[in-house]
């Protein structure tokens, strides 16, 4: 009868079977990932799979606090976040409203004219702190930067779109940014996760805040609906996360340890350098320490060496008498006895390995944050046009993503609420009134939010490339203007005004440049249709 070997079964701590192990001395047949977990590295590496919302919940407080601490106390982190905000927002995102005129049954010209009116009125509201800010202190663009900084810190931003009437404001729609940590961490495992209450399909329906004394967890909890009965946004909450995630986490979370290591490295290096600067000399002597130190002290009444040497000093009196050289009171050189040795030390900190290692740490931080190493350090040593262009090309889409999915939702929520009030108060015309707006909110509020253009190492080469693309018909003036953070209709209107002014004052038209590399057309410029 054949011998039957009983299989070995691994059982997890929760009682689930983890798979079958082959009998001792035999290997599991077939191709395997991770070499069957037989290496020592894998044996000590046993992470647990769970939902993203659970991972975030477990690490939220510590990760958020550490990221905010780095924003407050790390010059590298604060600097690159400021650069990131500038690249994403510039001086504020501009609205290019594009309502779906076909869905609304409008003529295209009517839609364009109405959009221009709304864009101008929106710019006035967004630029006025008294109109857009609950506290009346910041413009909407300033609030947008604060929201973006909150994304880099706690990993999310939360805004409360409020309705507040006051005598100094023409509108009642106001925006109040709420610190992300005031959104409570309560979870019941069913419909409440880290303060976010959801419905059966996962749609957030309300948010629970502790608006007073959040760290002590003693303040009253206020639950606020995500939207009102007319679908008007009330709480806007945005983060960049994985499937099922309910709260955000800092994009710097993977490198918080690296940031702390760099801080420790730089602090320890600075301390070592300071110690070497203070204690830059050693004395090798057979004499008692007290006597040698006394010999190095300047005398009160005599230019020689002070101190009581007794018999030891008498033996060396020929050497130590009148040997002090005073270098302005800052240092001394003493002619020592032949058996004594005075050695001056040079600083060995930072050593030759410091800079490469420090740069490597900072490169990891830059890669995690979605920035170039030059953005983080400000060091362009050894950089070339091609290397900078490649770094910008690979990292700029990350900033565009953040502009569209982190910064733009802040503007969009405020815009929808503001436009609803404008239409309801009849301050702007709208066919069908407020009821038609409620029925077609998405089609009416459709638009782009435009920011500054991508940084380029050579403006002339970039302009040449745009001219070639336009000549080939693979781009448009609207797209080129949008990439520069401009509105093509604004440009055309301004160009028309400038052309009219030139004609009025008898000025020549600009020379049409055929090739931006420096070549111009053979024809002479014209004035009023006449050749100059």
């Amino acid at each position: 009868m054949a011998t039957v070997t009983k299989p070995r079964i691994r059982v997890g701590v929760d009682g689930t079977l983890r798979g079958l192990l082959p009998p001792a001395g035999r290997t599991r047949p077939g191709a395997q990932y991770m070499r069957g977990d037989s290496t020592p590295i894998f044996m000590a590496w046993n992470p647990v799979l769970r939902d993203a919302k659970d991972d975030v919940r477990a690490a939220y407080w510590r990760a958020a606090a550490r990221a905010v601490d780095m924003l407050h106390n790390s010059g590298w982190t604060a600097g690159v976040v400021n650069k990131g905000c500038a690249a994403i927002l510039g001086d504020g995102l501009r609205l290019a409203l594009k309502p779906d005129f076909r869905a609304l049954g409008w003529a295209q010209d009517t839609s364009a004219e109405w959009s221009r009116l709304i864009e101008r009125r929106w710019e006035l509201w967004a630029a006025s702190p008294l109109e857009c800010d609950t506290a009346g202190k910041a413009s909407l663009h300033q609030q947008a930067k604060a929201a973006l900084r909150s994304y880099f810190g706690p990993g999310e931003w939360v805004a409360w779109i409020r309705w507040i009437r006051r005598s100094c404001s023409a509108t009642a729609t106001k925006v109040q940014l709420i610190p992300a940590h005031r959104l409570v961490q309560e979870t019941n495992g069913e419909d409440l996760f880290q303060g976010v209450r959801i419905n059966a399909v996962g749609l957030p329906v309300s948010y629970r805040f502790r608006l007073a004394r959040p760290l002590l967890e003693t303040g009253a909890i206020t639950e606020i609906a995500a939207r009102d009965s007319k679908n008007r946004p009330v709480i806007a909450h945005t983060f960049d996360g994985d499937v099922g995630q309910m709260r955000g986490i800092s994009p710097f979370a993977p490198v918080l340890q690296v940031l702390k290591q760099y801080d420790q490295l730089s602090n320890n290096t600075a301390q070592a350098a300071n110690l070497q600067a203070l204690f830059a000399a050693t004395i090798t002597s057979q004499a008692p320490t007290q006597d040698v130190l006394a010999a190095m002290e300047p005398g009160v009444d005599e230019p020689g060496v002070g101190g009581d040497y007794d018999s030891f000093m008498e033996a060396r009196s020929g050497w130590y008498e009148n040997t002090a050289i005073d270098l302005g009171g800052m240092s001394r050189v003493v002619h020592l006895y032949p058996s004594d040795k005075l050695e001056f030390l040079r600083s060995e900190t930072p050593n030759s390995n410091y800079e490469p290692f420090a740069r490597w740490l900072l490169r990891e931080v830059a890669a995690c944050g979605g920035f170039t190493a030059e953005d983080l350090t400000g060091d362009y040593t050894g950089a070339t046009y091609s290397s900078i262009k490649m770094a910008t090309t690979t990292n700029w889409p990350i900033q565009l993503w953040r502009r569209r999915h982190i910064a733009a939702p802040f503007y969009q929520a405020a815009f929808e609420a503001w436009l609803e009030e404008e239409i309801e108060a009849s301050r702007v015309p709208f066919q069908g009134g407020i009821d038609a707006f409620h029925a077609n909110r998405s089609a009416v509020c459709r638009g782009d939010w435009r920011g500054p253009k991508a940084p380029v190492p050579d403006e002339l080469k970039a302009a040449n490339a745009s001219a070639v693309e336009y000549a080939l018909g693979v781009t448009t003036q609207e797209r080129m203007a949008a990439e520069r953070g401009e509105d093509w209709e604004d440009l055309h209107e301004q160009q028309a005004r400038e052309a009219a002014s030139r004609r009025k004052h008898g000025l020549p038209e600009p020379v049409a440049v055929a090739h931006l590399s420096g070549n111009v057309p053979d024809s002479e410029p014209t004035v009023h249709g006449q050749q100059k």
Side-chain angles (χ1 to χ4, degrees):
M1 182 175 177
T3 302
V4 178
T5 303
K6 184 178 180 180
R8 298 170 58 196
I9 302 176
R10 286 192 300 172
V11 181
V13 294
D14 56 355
T16 58
L17 300 182
R18 296 298 179 88
L20 299 178
L21 291 179
R26 295 178 55 186
T27 60
R28 184 181 297 161
Q32 302 176 42
Y33 288 107
M34 300 180 291
R35 303 181 185 274
D37 284 348
S38 60
T39 65
I41 294 177
F42 285 147
M43 293 175 65
W45 182 17
N46 298 292
V48 178
L49 280 178
R50 54 183 177 179
D51 289 347
K53 62 177 180 290
D54 296 321
D55 284 332
V56 171
R57 180 173 174 243
Y60 181 85
W61 275 105
R62 287 172 295 174
R66 288 166 180 167
V68 171
D69 180 69
M70 282 298 170
L71 285 176
H72 291 170
N73 299 297
S74 169
W76 298 112
T77 309
V80 77
V81 166
N82 283 332
K83 288 182 179 180
C85 291
I88 295 169
L89 296 175
D91 58 357
L93 299 187
R94 294 193 60 188
L95 171 63
L97 188 59
K98 297 179 179 180
D100 190 343
F101 62 91
R102 293 184 179 87
L104 296 171
W106 295 357
Q108 186 172 6
D109 291 343
T110 302
S111 176
E113 182 179 354
W114 185 80
S115 298
R116 297 292 290 165
L117 170 65
I118 297 301
E119 288 170 0
R120 287 185 171 87
R121 290 189 61 84
W122 163 255
E123 289 176 0
L124 293 174
W125 183 84
S128 173
L130 286 175
E131 295 293 341
C132 66
D133 184 15
T134 302
K137 297 179 180 179
S139 69
L140 195 71
H141 307 300
Q142 291 172 305
Q143 293 181 76
K145 182 181 179 182
L148 193 56
R149 285 180 59 84
S150 180
Y151 160 74
F152 284 111
E156 58 188 350
W157 59 259
V158 184
W160 186 1
I161 313 299
R162 307 189 66 175
W163 183 271
I164 301 176
R165 289 200 174 277
R166 54 193 180 203
S167 59
C168 57
S169 302
T171 60
T173 300
K174 303 290 182 288
V175 179
Q176 178 182 349
L177 278 173
I178 301 177
H181 66 269
R182 293 184 182 268
L183 188 56
V184 301
Q185 299 294 306
E186 289 183 358
T187 300
N188 62 15
E190 296 180 0
D191 66 342
L192 183 65
F193 295 92
Q194 287 186 276
V196 182
R197 194 176 298 280
I198 61 175
N199 64 10
V201 295
L203 177 69
V205 295
S206 63
Y207 295 82
R208 292 172 64 82
F209 296 94
R210 184 173 278 111
L211 299 176
R213 295 177 291 182
L215 295 181
L216 298 178
E217 297 187 355
T218 58
I221 293 180
T222 302
E223 187 160 346
I224 305 174
R227 288 180 173 267
D228 64 12
S229 59
K230 298 297 184 180
N231 205 28
R232 185 178 193 265
V234 178
I235 295 295
H237 177 218
T238 297
F239 58 89
D240 193 5
D242 296 325
V243 177
Q245 194 169 320
M246 291 296 169
R247 298 285 299 275
I249 196 165
S250 174
F252 290 111
V255 289
L256 287 174
Q257 177 177 319
V258 176
L259 284 167
K260 196 61 178 177
Q261 286 174 336
Y262 178 83
D263 270 2
Q264 291 175 341
L265 174 65
S266 59
N267 290 339
N268 293 340
T269 302
Q271 290 175 2
N274 290 334
L275 287 174
Q276 291 179 3
L278 291 173
F279 302 99
T282 61
I283 300 176
T284 302
S285 175
Q286 300 176 356
T289 301
Q290 182 178 0
D291 294 339
V292 175
L293 292 177
M296 299 298 293
E297 296 178 358
V300 178
D301 298 323
E302 300 178 0
V305 182
D308 182 10
Y309 290 89
D310 298 333
S311 60
F312 174 75
M313 191 60 192
E314 291 178 1
R316 293 187 171 99
S317 59
W319 289 92
Y320 285 97
E321 186 177 359
N322 299 323
T323 58
I325 301 175
D326 189 353
L327 301 179
M330 298 299 293
S331 60
R332 292 169 52 82
V333 176
V334 180
H335 188 192
L336 299 177
Y337 191 72
S339 62
D340 297 342
K341 179 182 179 182
L342 175 64
E343 180 181 2
F344 286 95
L345 304 177
R346 65 184 181 88
S347 176
E348 299 290 342
T349 302
N351 57 42
S352 58
N353 294 326
Y354 171 80
E355 185 173 353
F357 183 64
R359 288 177 63 86
W360 182 259
L361 293 177
L362 293 176
R363 290 178 74 88
E364 183 177 353
V365 174
C368 177
F371 304 99
T372 66
E374 290 80 11
D375 283 335
L376 181 64
T377 63
D379 183 7
Y380 290 84
T381 303
T384 63
Y385 171 82
S386 298
S387 65
I388 295 175
K389 182 178 180 181
M390 179 57 67
T392 302
T393 301
T394 56
N395 284 278
W396 181 246
I398 299 176
Q399 311 312 327
L400 291 180
W401 172 271
R402 289 169 174 168
R403 176 186 298 170
R404 184 176 183 85
H405 299 285
I406 303 299
F410 175 81
Y411 282 93
Q412 186 69 26
F415 172 70
E416 288 187 22
W418 167 84
L419 182 58
E420 180 178 359
E421 180 186 353
E422 291 289 285
I423 294 174
E424 187 174 19
S426 300
R427 287 192 283 264
V428 295
F430 190 80
Q431 185 177 353
I434 191 63
D435 292 334
F437 173 80
H438 288 156
N440 300 278
R441 180 187 295 270
S442 297
V444 176
C445 297
R446 174 175 172 264
D448 292 334
W449 295 96
R450 296 171 177 171
K453 65 178 181 178
V456 293
D458 192 313
E459 292 281 356
L460 183 58
K461 290 182 179 180
N464 264 316
S466 297
V468 172
E469 290 177 351
Y470 186 70
L472 293 174
V474 297
T475 190
T476 63
Q477 288 189 2
E478 180 184 12
R479 179 178 176 183
M480 290 189 295
E483 290 175 350
R484 297 176 59 88
E486 303 286 349
D487 187 284
W488 68 281
E489 291 178 316
D490 286 345
L491 293 177
H492 282 184
E493 291 177 2
Q494 182 61 30
Q495 288 170 356
R497 287 192 293 269
E498 292 179 1
S501 179
R502 283 193 296 268
R503 289 191 296 270
K504 177 181 178 181
H505 295 89
L507 299 176
E509 293 294 324
V511 175
V513 180
H515 299 286
L516 298 178
S517 57
N519 300 324
V520 297
D522 296 333
S523 58
E524 294 291 333
T526 58
V527 179
H528 299 298
Q530 302 294 326
Q531 191 172 29
K532 182 179 178 181

